[in-house]
Amino acid sequence: MEYLVQPTEDSWNSRREWFEGLLLEFEESGSYLVSEQASALIGEVQSCYCAGAWIAAIVLAFTVIDAQLIEVEAPGFKGSAKELLESQGLGSEYQALRLRRNRIIHLRPEEPAITVDQQWGSRTELKEEAENAIHLMLSAFFANPSV
């Protein structure tokens, strides 16, 4: 299973090219005001994505959004992540990502957010979910600041 072994060089390179292509699209029209921590974490998201660690990519993608918003868009913000997204006018897709991240990192034993069966049987869907999270991450990261 791919998530238990190193991906092929072709898989890694294909994923790297997808990620870097998307990054380039956003960089061309993006803001130059970026969070140092968010910038560093984007490299971690890319590594997770290239390795096929879809759940880790999803969790870290929201972490980048949170860091970018707090450091650049709303310094000193004291509310919840939900309130932070609302204060920046980010839509329901960002709230859905936040909720997904929360379900992954806050265990509910009666209803796990991810199972071993899903890791084995839902790789395509998890990859698509990670790609959506990365798209949202880059959109928020390169958004023009409101201040």
Side-chain angles (χ1 to χ4, degrees):
M1 188 63 203
E2 180 180 353
Y3 69 93
L4 296 176
V5 298
Q6 180 177 345
T8 66
E9 186 175 347
D10 287 344
S11 290
W12 181 280
N13 287 334
S14 174
R15 293 171 188 164
R16 181 184 51 78
E17 289 169 7
W18 177 86
F19 192 100
E20 291 176 357
L22 188 61
L23 186 62
L24 186 60
E25 284 179 37
F26 280 98
E27 282 178 341
E28 289 177 351
S29 62
S31 172
Y32 62 91
L33 296 175
V34 295
S35 159
E36 183 70 25
Q37 183 165 324
S39 296
L41 288 172
I42 285 175
E44 293 296 311
V45 175
Q46 182 176 8
S47 293
C48 290
Y49 177 78
C50 290
W54 312 131
I55 295 298
I58 293 165
V59 169
L60 285 173
F62 188 81
T63 304
V64 169
I65 293 167
D66 195 48
Q68 175 69 15
L69 294 179
I70 289 193
E71 188 173 338
V72 174
E73 297 287 340
F77 186 84
K78 300 294 183 201
S80 68
K82 178 181 187 287
E83 295 165 333
L84 178 61
L85 294 173
E86 290 170 349
S87 76
Q88 299 303 306
L90 296 174
S92 61
E93 65 275 13
Y94 286 91
Q95 292 294 354
L97 178 57
R98 176 188 63 80
L99 291 170
R100 176 66 162 143
R101 185 277 321 252
N102 286 352
R103 288 279 292 119
I104 293 167
I105 64 173
H106 300 295
L107 177 66
R108 286 182 12 203
E110 71 284 355
E111 190 181 333
I114 185 70
T115 66
V116 174
D117 286 344
Q118 289 170 324
Q119 283 284 21
W120 284 94
S122 300
R123 301 294 295 159
T124 301
E125 293 85 357
L126 291 172
K127 180 183 180 196
E128 290 171 3
E129 188 177 355
E131 289 175 346
N132 182 58
I134 291 165
H135 191 274
L136 291 172
M137 171 192 78
L138 292 174
S139 181
F141 184 76
F142 286 110
N144 291 317
S146 59
V147 290

